[in-house]
Amino acid sequence: MRVRFGVGAVSELRDELAALGFHRSLVLSTQAEAPLAARIAGGLGDGAVGVSGTAVMHVPQKCVDATIEMLSRRSPDSLVPVGGGSAVGLAKAVALETGLPIVAVPTTYAGSEMTPIWGRTSAGVKQTGRDLRVLPRSVIYDPDLTLTLPALVSGVSGINAIAHAVEALYAPDSSPIISSMAVVGTRSLADALPRIVSNPLDLGARTQAFRGAWLCGACLGNVTMSLHHKLCHALGGAFDLPHAEMHAVVLPYVVAFNASAAPAAMLQLADALGEPEPATALWKLGRSVGAPASLGELGLTETDLDHAAALAVASPYANPVPVTERAVRKLLGAALQGTAPACVL
Ligand code: NAD
């Protein structure tokens, strides 16, 4: 994949599309980001065939169908999602069905633009898969576009990216190169996020965070994820919890749970976070960026926990510590309350 990175890089979008042979792009965004998407489409002149501001979290199939219906009237040769994982996710689901190539302009730290992972939701069930057809052909990272991302969204979105790196460090198919990317990505974000929260207009911190998000997203795209991602997928699908906030709450507990069986990963993580105890460091990072402290704050209740734990172990997957329903139930109990993560060790 190609990447253009830097302040003002979005002004190179038209050239980038032309270099790839694309001259009729449909620009996609959420409703909230539609003005930005329209501005970017305006910069493409007759290279844009329209803007669709209908993307929403978890990619409902009806949004995919409506966008595909729009394609038949506009005949684009490419899709340009502008925004976070919701906009990129809509483009991927459309690409999966139509084969249209994607050039992504991310504006959050979720990292979806770096992965061949697609998802879509139909009748309350979120389906995901990997397919190289949905991997963007090029990504334009312009830190200027993230200056408007609210402090809280920035913080939880950045911790969502760190979660990709954490699970890459103990992935069964990891490699020294992926681990190096995970360490640098985590270090960049852990350093930049508190600075962004204290000054959302700090362009240096925004640039550093975007670089971290790029690296962490690439980790997600290249190796197998474990308990943390399976758990968040189950919680998001069954209880519709907000994606990035949920990742920010759950991550320290999964790290505490896995720590004893992944000593090398924990050493690398401690190095990246600049603290000896990674679970506690991640928990403190969440507090320092104002992330919700518990799943209870996100709307989960005690009565949901058995169902959530059952879903999280429904199909087998690799994880440093073997995953049992009882252990996941205990982990979720701690995350529900927001008690210190050491309690799940
Ligand atoms: P999002 O795309 O829904 O964005 C969060 C909110 O921030 C939205 O309201 C959006 O309009 C707003 N926003 C985005 N950019 C902004 C900006 N620059 N300024 C102001 N507001 C802005 O959320 P997200 O956390 O980026 O993505 C979450 C979704 O992405 C989930 O559905 C998740 O499953 C998916 N995801 C997929 C992958 C993958 O590899 N397939 C990876 C990570 C996340």
Side-chain angles (χ1 to χ4, degrees):
M1 334 164 47
R2 293 163 58 90
V3 172
R4 292 200 188 207
F5 186 102
V7 175
V10 74
S11 65
E12 299 167 21
L13 175 62
R14 190 177 183 144
D15 288 349
E16 183 64 9
L17 288 163
L20 292 166
F22 306 142
H23 303 284
R24 294 178 55 78
S25 302
L26 179 68
V27 181
L28 305 172
S29 73
T30 58
Q31 195 179 12
E33 299 323 301
L36 172 65
R39 186 157 57 81
I40 288 174
L44 296 180
D46 59 8
V49 298
V51 178
S52 171
T54 58
V56 289
M57 187 92 67
H58 303 313
V59 195
Q61 183 63 41
K62 64 177 188 320
C63 288
V64 181
D65 294 341
T67 309
I68 290 175
E69 160 68 24
M70 193 175 177
L71 301 184
S72 58
R73 298 192 302 273
R74 313 272 176 110
S75 307
D77 60 11
S78 50
L79 302 168
V80 175
V82 173
S86 297
V88 176
L90 175 61
K92 286 176 163 182
V94 172
L96 189 68
E97 292 191 31
T98 62
L100 280 172
I102 298 172
V103 173
V105 183
T107 64
T108 73
Y109 308 126
S112 178
E113 68 283 351
M114 276 290 139
T115 84
I117 304 168
W118 56 267
R120 62 186 170 203
T121 305
S122 184
V125 178
K126 187 165 181 183
Q127 203 193 350
T128 60
R130 284 183 184 250
D131 191 313
L132 278 177
R133 282 177 301 168
V134 311
L135 183 70
R137 298 278 296 277
S138 180
V139 178
I140 310 279
Y141 284 108
D142 185 341
D144 252 345
L145 302 180
T146 62
L147 290 176
T148 49
L149 193 63
L152 175 62
V153 185
S154 303
V156 293
S157 173
I159 297 177
N160 183 187
I162 290 176
H164 310 329
V166 167
E167 295 231 286
L169 285 172
Y170 52 63
D173 48 357
S174 198
S175 69
I177 297 297
I178 292 292
S179 294
S180 301
M181 290 162 62
V183 167
V184 177
T186 299
R187 187 180 292 129
S188 298
L189 281 158
D191 180 65
L193 295 178
R195 287 160 54 209
I196 289 170
V197 168
S198 64
N199 177 14
L201 298 180
D202 182 339
L203 197 51
R206 290 291 192 181
T207 303
Q208 185 180 327
F210 233 0
R211 195 172 293 123
W214 171 7
L215 288 165
C216 293
C219 290
L220 172 66
N222 281 286
V223 297
T224 306
M225 294 288 116
S226 297
L227 174 62
H228 175 79
H229 283 75
K230 304 294 175 192
L231 203 46
C232 288
H233 180 82
L235 289 170
F239 305 103
D240 202 26
L241 300 188
H243 181 84
E245 289 82 348
M246 171 179 63
H247 273 267
V249 171
V250 171
L251 185 62
Y253 298 95
V254 173
V255 170
F257 179 73
N258 278 331
S260 63
M266 293 305 135
L267 277 178
Q268 288 168 305
L269 203 47
D271 176 36
L273 293 166
E275 286 220 25
E277 218 297 297
T280 306
L282 288 166
W283 192 76
K284 285 194 214 160
L285 179 63
R287 305 296 68 72
S288 76
V289 300
S294 69
L295 291 176
E297 280 175 55
L298 301 182
L300 204 72
T301 63
E302 187 77 32
T303 51
D304 297 326
L305 295 189
D306 287 339
H307 181 46
L311 285 174
V313 299
S315 49
Y317 47 86
N319 191 64
V321 174
V323 177
T324 64
E325 196 169 332
R326 191 153 173 262
V328 172
R329 174 70 174 74
K330 187 175 173 205
L331 186 161
L332 284 173
L336 182 79
Q337 304 299 333
T339 43
C343 62
V344 296
L345 280 167

